[in-house]
Amino acid sequence: MATRLDPAQRREQILSATIRLVARDGFASVTLRDVAAEVGVVHGLIRHYFPTREQLVAAAFESAVLADIEEDEELAERVEPVTALGDWLMSTPREHYMVWIDAWSEAPRNPELLDALTRHHRDCEGRLARIIERLADSGRGASEDPAADARMLTALTDGIAVQLHAIGIVDRAEADRLVFTAAEDRLGLARGTLAGARPTATRGQWAAEPAASRG
């Protein structure tokens, strides 16, 4: 029998279970019944919180991304801008990017997911632009248009992540080298600056919830 939880706890449990399944099997494979089995509740309880599969996967994606971005932003504000930039651009764990990659594929068929994906993509660009502004203000680098630089570097980082995590034609060291070099050239940093900054964060750790905590 499932442990009785208050509505907020149950909703969070359902979203956590959904993102675990998405990370493992992809958006297209996840059903409400799969999530019910993962949580250990009846199918109807999932529908009580999320009437459609599309609403559920969009909400799960948004929940995971919001938690990830909040952690990134807290770190970015705490460390100096060169390290913050290196943290932001470095390769993230496969579990993180495979969720994003799969969301890009699913979004054209799920308007709610497309809305969440678009909103958070632009939010990520904005946060990177603020790091670039801090870098320029510090005198360590230069940028005439932080927003444009953030768009370019986000597009590059996403493309390299697909090559690294989805098809494996570059390894992590090469992925970081390609992105760091492009950022250094774009922002007036000496080659090797970002690799030498010793980035501190490994972002996107959407780890599985321990079985003992499920109810």
Side-chain angles (χ1 to χ4, degrees), residues 85-94 96-97 157 160-162 164-165 170-180 199 201-205:
L85 182 63
D87 281 338
W88 193 272
L89 296 176
M90 70 187 295
S91 298
T92 58
R94 185 175 187 274
H96 170 102
Y97 250 111
T157 301
I160 294 296
V162 171
L164 169 62
H165 295 304
V170 298
D171 61 20
R172 179 165 181 154
E174 185 177 6
D176 285 340
R177 180 181 59 78
L178 290 169
V179 174
F180 285 172
T202 301
R203 300 187 288 117
Q205 298 276 17

Side-chain angles (χ1 to χ4, degrees), residues 17-38 43 53-54 56-57 98-99 102-103 105-107 109-110 113:
T18 303
I19 206 66
R20 286 197 304 272
L21 292 175
V22 167
R24 189 187 73 196
D25 301 327
F27 282 96
S29 297
V30 174
T31 68
L32 296 180
R33 292 188 183 280
D34 292 333
V35 176
E38 179 76 5
H43 175 235
R53 172 191 169 279
E54 288 72 22
L56 174 58
V57 297
M98 288 307 292
V99 171
D102 204 52
S105 176
E106 176 76 6
R109 295 175 293 278
N110 183 339
L113 179 59

Side-chain angles (χ1 to χ4, degrees), residues 4-22:
R4 184 179 296 277
L5 300 176
D6 68 43
Q9 291 176 314
R10 181 65 76 190
R11 186 178 190 278
E12 182 58 34
Q13 184 189 44
I14 291 169
L15 294 177
S16 296
T18 303
I19 206 66
R20 286 197 304 272
L21 292 175
V22 167

